[in-house]
Amino acid sequence: MWLSWVDASVVRRRGRPHRSTASAVAALLLAAAPAWGQTQPTRPRVPPHFAITNARVVTVSGPTLKAGTIVVRDGVIEAVGENVAVPSDAWVIDGSGLTVYPGLIDAFGTIGHPEPRGGGGGSDEGAPHSWGPEDRPGTFTWTTAADDLDETDERITQWREAGFTSAVSTRARGLFPGQAAVIDLAGDRGREMVVAPSVAQRINLNGSGYEGYPGSLLGVFAYIKQLYLDAEHYDRVWSAYERDPRGMSRPGYDRTLEPLREPQPVLFPADGRKEILRAVQTTAEMGVPVIVYGAQRAYEAVDVLRGRGVPVLVDLDWPAPPRNGDPQAEPDLATLRAWEHAPTTPAKLEAAGVRFAFYTGGLDDPTDARENVRRAIELGLSPDAALRAMTLAPAEIFGVADRMGSIEEGKIANLVLADGDLFEQGTHITTVVVDGRAFEMAEAGRQMASRRRGDDDDDAEESPWPTGPIVPMARIRGPYRNDPVTLIRDGTVLTVTNGVIEGGDVLIRDGKIAAIGRDLDAPDGATIVDATGMYVTPGIIDAHSHAAADAINEGSVNVSAMVGMKDVINPEDPSIYRALAGGVTTINLLHGSANPIGGRNAVLKLRWGADAEDLIFDAAPPGIKFALGENVKRDRNPDRYPTTRMGVQDVVRQAFLDAQAYMREWEEYEALRRENPDAIPPRRDLKLETLAEILRGERLVHSHSYRADEILQLMRTAEEFGVRIATFQHVLEGYKIADEIAAHGAGASTFSDWWAYKVEAYDAIPYNAAIMTKRGVVVSINSDSDEEMRHLNQEAAKTMKWGGLTREEALKLVTLNPAIQLRIDDYVGSLEVGKDADVVVWKGDPLSMMGVPQKTYVDGVLYFDRELDRERQAALEREKRALMEKYLPRSGAGARVVTDADEEVEQ
């Protein structure tokens, strides 16, 4: 028999083994494995069977063994325990003084698929331009990272030397780069590295590899949803055929949709609460489970993650100050908070009971992973949870816990031998076992890792993190007060619909206006607001805004009705707070004007601090943005139809004709389904569904416009199909055709006095709003600007000079009239009993240069208060100073408070 017994006893010291002990064990293990890089023989020439005895064994899934034995045969753990008998044919290694852990798993990355030289940006050479979702750009769902693994990827050795025995490997390129695979890092042959070839579909939100649609975050979300709707329809058709193919035409095979017939989890990028909610809501629409990755601010969304049972992959590349940065640099508050709070995420996930795993993310050196985990432990993460997040947790999340992630009988022999606690400073990994094969981490490798970090030998183990308690976060978002009952007393109340009440009171109860008048009795417990010498008005409504959005235009196609602003609402945008400081309580968040038919709108209540979904004005009917004129016909690369004003109307007409055909198709299906309940429904098309809603009168049209001739064109085209335009936006030549607009029934939302900023605007006049008002058009003044939105009261007041409107008519331009245009005037736009308590208290006449909002209520909740704002700003300044002193003590603490890279929170 060619196997032999080897007595591997080694000399050890009390506690931790001498360095030579670890080396001896590694040498013995290596003797039981093929030499790296040698040609493999046709049959094993080394023993495939060994046992590690007398080692501390951290099983992860069960109790830790103080002096355990692990028996390995043919790459699998044959036995593990404290009283395990060592087979007579096994090599024996005395592991006294060593600790054995399950092999570490890097839960997300591209190991085995290195980026090609020159990086991954740009589009694939020769790839056709994508003109719509049917072109399926950057979509490789049929591929798997298990295919074509590059065993020469230097990261395989580098990661293995850092203790990683396995990784979840993905491709990086495209919106759908393909299926993730779990691989082991033995690294000899690609196909032999594969543990599970398909565990999830990866999604990118900014994938490269194509040009054209989708060209924005708006389009990406619409594209993702359409792809899964197509997969659902594809599956229905094929399932019906597979049940009984007789008499049926065979469906076409689609390699993109075939892997989606059985929906598997999707890997969705998400950092903080905003993105996590988007991921959860989008995948719920898609009907697939989600695993979020990135998640360094997941502490903001532990309630969502726990409630939805969403697993999380946390990027260990913690943000930190640059080592040799500018000493005079003054980071914004968001950056400072990232440095401080990102490493607290794991502890908060653990406390909330959220499943999570770690991945190395942007770390160039995988040996930094344990150091960064150590930082999370210092901030409250338990060592047991930390180890689990690098072993069993990723195995469970990806469905391979039956074969890896813990030291158990029958699992793959992926092991890490260390000379101490894995997360203690100074502990060294001596040997890594992958698939039963041993690899030593050479001392040279440790020194190389230290040099990669830029450390000197004397301070290589010094923590880069500052000491001291966590600096608590001051509150940026959220209301100041939420009182059940508020009485605003003794102000000049401008009701808009029922005149002016001098010395008037407004009683707010449970978010509604309960009473208006003089000398109202204060209910018990009511909060009293003294408005003596002040003015009280309804909240301002901006009928045309692009605030609070992470994308505006999907301009790659001429009809983008499939995209929706709801998908990209940014509830963290400081412009929301600034709008409240200007008395604005509701906005019509519109798609841009890059295409004749743009995307769906979102009417928002500015509930500062609420999630995106909770900003939605539920009572507002849905709408969509159209656009006319120069913006939609301008030159593009590549050229996009239309390029003339005539072509714009052709696009609109053809879109309506396509929608009519789509409606007929569904009507025929509904008739057929009454006779045959098993009839297969038509393919859902998000673009045509939206256009059909317009034709059925269920969705309002808000059209960007300038010239009178084009406005007439669109009205006549719409009337062909029984459609009425809800509002013309900008409508700078509306005064020329005011009678026609009024007869059509459209509203007009215009600027106060913008003109001559481009050729289309040359005939604009400041009398436009007044002329249209006097001709019977419902007119509003809008901002189209985050800055102008803050003083819409003054913009409306200009019409008293330019056109002689009354004070009431002027105030209606930014209150009741936009509410009428958006069909929400039953709820907002005037101070009336029963309406939503969207109320502004002003110091100074709001229709003058002296009008300054003091308090702004939305649904009776105080979201802006000028005095309390000063306190909030002071708290933010204190927080920033403390963080500057902690992380950049030599730079001096700045006093300017910013919440993102460009924006100050300052009124």
Side-chain angles (χ1 to χ4, degrees):
M1 183 166 150
W2 60 279
L3 294 172
S4 60
W5 177 276
V6 176
D7 183 1
S9 300
V10 293
V11 179
R12 61 186 175 89
R13 296 182 178 179
R14 186 182 301 274
R16 184 170 293 180
H18 190 268
R19 181 63 57 86
S20 62
T21 303
S23 299
V25 173
L28 286 165
L29 281 172
L30 286 166
W36 175 255
Q38 293 181 349
T39 303
Q40 301 299 302
T42 56
R43 57 172 291 176
R45 60 180 177 80
V46 293
H49 192 18
F50 64 87
I52 303 171
T53 63
N54 301 318
R56 178 174 175 263
V57 179
V58 181
T59 65
V60 175
S61 60
T64 296
L65 311 178
K66 292 183 178 179
T69 295
I70 303 172
V71 178
V72 175
R73 183 186 296 275
D74 296 329
V76 176
I77 298 172
E78 186 175 80
V80 58
E82 289 187 332
N83 299 306
V84 170
V86 177
S88 60
D89 61 345
W91 287 53
V92 178
I93 298 95
D94 186 349
S96 299
L98 294 177
T99 300
V100 185
Y101 297 93
L104 304 184
I105 302 172
D106 193 347
F108 180 79
T110 59
I111 293 177
H113 292 279
E115 282 290 329
R117 293 185 182 275
S123 60
D124 292 331
E125 185 175 351
H129 187 88
S130 172
W131 290 109
E134 64 281 355
D135 289 339
R136 300 204 180 124
T139 301
F140 313 106
T141 55
W142 66 91
T143 67
T144 170
D147 297 335
D148 304 322
L149 283 167
D150 183 358
E151 62 268 16
T152 67
D153 185 349
E154 62 183 15
R155 292 176 296 174
I156 293 173
T157 301
Q158 192 180 353
W159 259 244
R160 191 174 60 227
E161 288 183 347
F164 290 96
T165 60
S166 308
V168 177
S169 179
T170 71
R171 300 175 190 266
R173 196 174 183 82
L175 295 174
F176 283 82
Q179 302 163 47
V182 178
I183 63 173
D184 274 350
L185 302 182
D188 50 354
R189 292 189 182 97
R191 67 176 183 270
E192 294 179 1
M193 295 165 61
V194 178
V195 176
S198 177
V199 294
Q201 283 280 356
R202 178 178 177 179
I203 289 177
N204 286 330
L205 297 181
N206 55 353
S208 59
Y210 69 92
E211 289 183 350
Y213 179 84
S216 69
L217 189 62
L218 275 163
V220 168
F221 278 106
Y223 177 82
I224 291 170
K225 294 174 189 178
Q226 186 65 64
L227 183 69
Y228 273 81
L229 286 174
D230 289 349
E232 181 183 21
H233 182 257
Y234 178 84
D235 179 59
R236 283 177 174 169
V237 172
W238 266 101
S239 295
Y241 180 76
E242 289 164 347
R243 282 193 302 269
D244 186 3
R246 291 173 298 179
M248 291 183 66
S249 298
R250 185 177 67 256
Y253 171 77
D254 191 317
R255 67 175 182 177
T256 303
L257 301 179
E258 186 68 30
L260 305 182
R261 290 184 65 187
E262 295 292 334
Q264 60 184 160
V266 294
L267 290 159
F268 211 108
D271 184 36
R273 185 178 185 89
K274 173 184 69 173
E275 296 90 355
I276 288 170
L277 280 166
R278 284 177 184 167
V280 169
Q281 290 160 359
T282 302
T283 51
E285 289 186 49
M286 295 157 55
V288 294
V290 62
I291 303 167
V292 300
Y293 66 91
Q296 290 193 335
R297 291 192 292 129
Y299 61 82
E300 299 172 345
V302 291
D303 57 328
V304 176
L305 297 165
R306 179 182 60 241
R308 305 292 184 93
V310 175
V312 180
L313 310 181
V314 181
D315 183 350
L316 281 172
D317 186 16
W318 305 133
R323 287 183 175 273
N324 299 304
D326 180 358
Q328 299 302 313
E330 189 174 315
D332 59 47
L333 184 57
T335 299
L336 290 164
R337 283 182 168 182
W339 297 347
E340 179 79 342
H341 296 282
T344 70
T345 292
K348 291 172 181 173
L349 293 175
E350 179 191 8
V354 176
R355 286 192 301 159
F356 69 97
F358 288 132
Y359 69 100
T360 53
L363 293 175
D364 294 326
D365 181 359
T367 62
D368 287 338
R370 283 193 295 141
E371 181 178 293
N372 288 11
V373 171
R374 187 158 53 246
R375 174 61 175 167
I377 292 172
E378 291 170 355
L379 296 175
L381 178 66
S382 72
D384 288 345
L387 181 61
R388 190 180 184 93
M390 301 187 80
T391 54
L392 188 56
E396 290 172 339
I397 289 170
F398 288 102
V400 293
D402 57 350
R403 66 203 83 171
M404 61 170 52
S406 60
I407 301 177
E408 296 182 61
E409 180 180 330
K411 289 193 174 184
I412 299 169
N414 288 347
L415 308 169
V416 172
L417 281 68
D419 60 6
D421 187 284
L422 195 62
F423 299 119
E424 279 188 6
Q425 198 109 29
T427 294
H428 295 108
I429 293 172
T430 62
T431 308
V432 175
V433 179
V434 185
D435 286 328
R437 294 176 51 193
F439 301 88
E440 181 185 15
M441 183 179 175
E443 182 66 27
R446 287 194 293 271
Q447 293 173 352
M448 186 184 307
S450 179
R451 288 196 297 273
R452 279 194 297 266
R453 290 194 300 269
D455 300 330
D456 297 327
D457 292 341
D458 294 337
D459 62 1
E461 295 189 352
E462 196 173 297
S463 172
W465 306 105
T467 58
I470 289 292
V471 175
M473 284 186 280
R475 193 172 190 185
I476 289 179
R477 291 180 290 278
Y480 290 98
R481 298 182 65 95
N482 185 5
D483 301 308
V485 182
T486 300
L487 178 61
I488 301 172
R489 174 170 281 171
D490 200 25
T492 299
V493 180
L494 308 181
T495 67
V496 175
T497 52
N498 294 303
V500 177
I501 305 174
E502 298 289 350
D505 304 339
V506 178
L507 179 65
I508 298 171
R509 179 182 283 114
D510 298 329
K512 299 289 185 178
I513 297 174
I516 301 174
R518 293 188 181 91
D519 302 321
L520 298 181
D521 292 331
D524 292 340
T527 298
I528 308 298
V529 176
D530 184 3
T532 303
M534 298 187 185
Y535 292 77
V536 184
T537 71
I540 289 173
I541 300 171
D542 189 351
H544 187 127
S545 176
H546 302 298
D550 284 333
I552 303 300
N553 266 310
E554 179 51 64
S556 59
V557 290
N558 58 21
V559 178
S560 61
M562 73 289 284
V563 311
M565 300 307 296
K566 286 184 179 180
D567 289 330
V568 295
I569 294 169
N570 178 8
E572 301 166 8
D573 187 345
S575 64
I576 296 175
Y577 186 68
R578 296 185 183 129
L580 289 162
V584 178
T585 56
T586 299
I587 65 172
N588 183 21
L589 176 57
L590 287 169
H591 185 275
S593 57
N595 23 31
I597 300 180
R600 303 186 294 269
N601 74 328
V603 179
L604 307 183
K605 285 255 196 156
L606 301 187
R607 304 177 181 110
W608 177 234
D611 293 325
E613 192 70 19
D614 295 325
L615 294 177
I616 301 295
F617 198 141
D618 292 328
I624 190 171
K625 177 73 174 295
F626 279 34
L628 309 173
E630 185 63 39
N631 288 16
V632 301
K633 73 176 191 64
R634 64 178 49 160
D635 287 341
R636 300 174 187 272
N637 185 18
D639 289 338
R640 189 201 76 186
Y641 183 79
T643 57
T644 66
R645 297 176 193 272
M646 292 183 295
V648 173
Q649 297 309 307
D650 175 61
V651 167
V652 173
R653 181 177 285 107
Q654 187 60 54
F656 283 163
L657 290 171
D658 292 344
Q660 285 180 334
Y662 181 75
M663 293 166 67
R664 285 194 296 272
E665 186 179 10
W666 276 91
E667 288 165 2
E668 291 167 1
Y669 160 70
E670 293 295 340
L672 177 62
R673 189 164 66 95
R674 286 191 286 271
E675 299 176 4
N676 177 14
D678 295 328
I680 299 171
R683 169 185 175 269
R684 284 185 60 193
D685 186 305
L686 293 177
K687 178 177 74 175
L688 295 177
E689 275 188 8
T690 303
L691 296 173
E693 290 170 353
I694 299 171
L695 295 179
R696 290 194 295 264
E698 299 167 356
R699 185 173 292 275
L700 306 179
V701 174
H702 306 287
S703 181
H704 166 108
S705 60
Y706 288 89
R707 287 179 22 175
D709 55 342
E710 293 183 299
I711 296 168
L712 287 171
Q713 268 189 330
L714 182 58
M715 287 192 295
R716 290 164 181 165
T717 302
E719 288 166 3
E720 288 180 30
F721 295 88
V723 171
R724 288 295 184 268
I725 306 301
T727 66
F728 285 99
Q729 301 287 320
H730 312 323
V731 61
L732 297 187
E733 294 185 15
Y735 65 92
K736 296 180 179 180
I737 50 169
D739 291 343
E740 289 81 356
I741 294 174
H744 180 80
S749 188
T750 189
F751 297 133
S752 59
D753 55 2
W754 292 22
W755 57 79
Y757 52 88
K758 61 179 180 177
V759 172
E760 288 181 314
Y762 272 19
D763 279 0
I765 60 174
Y767 300 92
N768 189 38
I771 292 173
M772 288 191 292
T773 297
K774 292 173 181 178
R775 302 302 293 184
V777 180
V778 176
V779 179
S780 66
I781 297 288
N782 67 58
S783 75
D784 198 16
S785 159
D786 291 359
E787 188 280 326
E788 185 155 311
M789 181 168 56
R790 299 164 68 182
H791 50 88
L792 275 173
N793 58 308
Q794 296 169 358
E795 300 304 305
K798 293 176 182 178
T799 61
M800 293 190 294
K801 174 179 176 60
W802 303 112
L805 293 189
T806 66
R807 289 169 53 82
E808 185 175 278
E809 288 173 326
L811 187 57
K812 280 183 178 180
L813 296 177
V814 290
T815 55
L816 185 60
N817 287 3
I820 294 170
Q821 292 173 348
L822 298 174
R823 312 298 195 264
I824 53 177
D825 51 303
D826 285 344
Y827 304 91
V828 293
S830 60
L831 298 181
E832 298 181 60
V833 173
K835 284 195 173 184
D836 296 349
D838 292 3
V839 181
V840 185
V841 179
W842 302 76
K843 182 179 181 180
D845 186 343
L847 293 173
S848 75
M849 295 298 292
M850 305 306 294
V852 179
Q854 302 300 299
K855 299 178 186 293
T856 303
Y857 296 85
V858 180
D859 297 324
V861 179
L862 183 62
Y863 282 99
F864 175 76
D865 184 288
R866 188 158 294 276
E867 290 301 320
L868 295 178
D869 172 75
R870 294 186 176 96
E871 296 178 15
R872 186 172 284 188
Q873 296 300 321
L876 291 167
E877 289 179 6
R878 288 192 295 272
E879 179 192 356
K880 183 174 182 182
R881 288 194 187 101
L883 291 170
M884 291 284 289
E885 184 61 33
K886 185 173 183 178
Y887 286 91
L888 302 168
R890 289 187 293 259
S891 67
R896 184 171 64 92
V897 179
V898 290
T899 58
D900 54 35
D902 303 306
E903 305 283 1
E904 296 182 31
V905 175
E906 184 175 304
Q907 306 306 325

